[in-house]
Amino acid sequence: MIELVVLDMAGTTINEHGNVYKALEFVVLDAGATLDAQDLQTWMGADKTEAIAALLELGGVTATPALVQQQFAAFRRILADFYAQTPPEPIAGVEDALRTLKARGIKIGLTTGFSRDVAGPILETLGWGIGEGELLDAVVTSDEVAAGRPAPFMIHRVMEATGVQNVAAVVAGGDTVVDLLAGSNAGVLTLGVLTGALGREHLEAHPHDWVLESVAELPSVLQNAEWGKNER
């Protein structure tokens, strides 16, 4: 029986209108690096300081700690400006899906490549609270663990926060390759969704249990999976 669902934020549960992509692209180019679109997409779901450092190096610029922190600060400022102009919103059907899962007794956690100071205001804007009686049971950000995706640490931290011990009772995923790799590394059931930039063929080339059009489909998919187990 599934006890916990752990999902990515931007592109998976939240439509932030591609502003993370644009802000990340800007700060890497601004530092003088060249940028390959595929590299940018590969690093989208990762911790943003790790992503900036990797993209700078890939683009021919030495990623000194001072430069990475400078560009990360710029990333946060630019992203805040974008969000002020075009606020993030829930992806269609996702909030209802999460409430359906909660009504079945399944706990809900979010993980993100954002730091807490970026993620917190987004959740406040959406009205997604954390704790008893709220939509979310736990949120873990990439600055709260030793390494972001594809490391499994954020998923395991959500398990710790919610008291779930069995990885076989956890579904985790998102819209990027590193979401799938993090789920696989965590030993949980792994979900890919097509509400981000990647298509089915790209996601299905990596470890997964499901690739769905949207998180909105997850309640019915899990219900059918549990029903099938009961029938056997």
Side-chain angles (χ1 to χ4, degrees):
M1 178 178 178
I2 300 303
E3 300 176 31
L4 171 65
V5 169
V6 184
L7 299 167
D8 171 53
M9 286 179 55
T12 301
T13 53
I14 298 168
N15 178 8
E16 51 81 51
H17 310 289
N19 287 323
V20 173
Y21 189 102
K22 289 183 284 187
L24 194 56
E25 178 182 42
F26 180 88
V27 299
V28 172
L29 294 175
D30 182 62
T34 58
L35 186 61
D36 181 87
Q38 183 58 54
D39 290 335
L40 180 58
Q41 184 56 53
T42 296
W43 282 93
M44 270 297 293
D47 171 86
K48 294 305 175 281
T49 55
E50 294 174 9
I52 290 169
L55 290 169
L56 289 175
E57 292 286 348
L58 288 168
V61 173
T62 300
T64 65
L67 179 59
V68 171
Q69 288 305 313
Q70 173 186 300
Q71 297 311 100
F72 178 61
F75 167 80
R76 293 195 304 179
R77 290 193 302 271
I78 293 165
L79 190 62
D81 288 342
F82 282 155
Y83 284 170
Q85 297 169 28
T86 312
E89 56 190 4
I91 288 175
V94 166
E95 189 168 330
D96 286 343
L98 299 185
R99 295 193 185 283
T100 297
L101 294 172
K102 289 277 287 189
R104 295 180 191 168
I106 297 173
K107 297 176 181 179
I108 305 296
L110 297 183
T111 61
T112 178
F114 294 145
S115 54
R116 176 65 64 169
D117 61 337
V118 175
I122 295 173
L123 296 174
E124 289 176 13
T125 297
L126 298 176
W128 289 7
I130 307 166
E132 187 174 354
E134 301 287 352
L135 179 65
L136 306 174
D137 295 287
V139 174
V140 175
T141 60
S142 60
D143 59 328
E144 297 170 336
V145 292
R149 306 177 187 118
F153 306 139
M154 286 196 290
I155 296 170
H156 288 161
R157 183 68 64 85
V158 173
M159 291 178 64
E160 180 182 4
T162 56
V164 175
Q165 300 182 14
N166 183 4
V167 293
V170 179
V171 175
D175 64 301
T176 68
V177 170
V178 291
D179 289 314
L180 295 178
L181 295 177
S184 178
N185 289 336
V188 302
L189 295 167
T190 304
L191 166 71
V193 293
L194 302 176
T195 45
L198 297 182
R200 181 175 296 277
E201 182 177 351
H202 198 149
L203 289 180
E204 288 184 344
H206 299 275
H208 67 279
D209 291 281
W210 303 280
V211 172
L212 305 179
E213 293 294 329
S214 167
V215 169
E217 297 179 2
L218 189 57
S220 61
V221 168
L222 293 184
Q223 187 173 43
N224 290 338
E226 291 296 334
W227 182 82
K229 288 181 183 177
N230 292 336
E231 283 297 295
R232 288 195 297 272

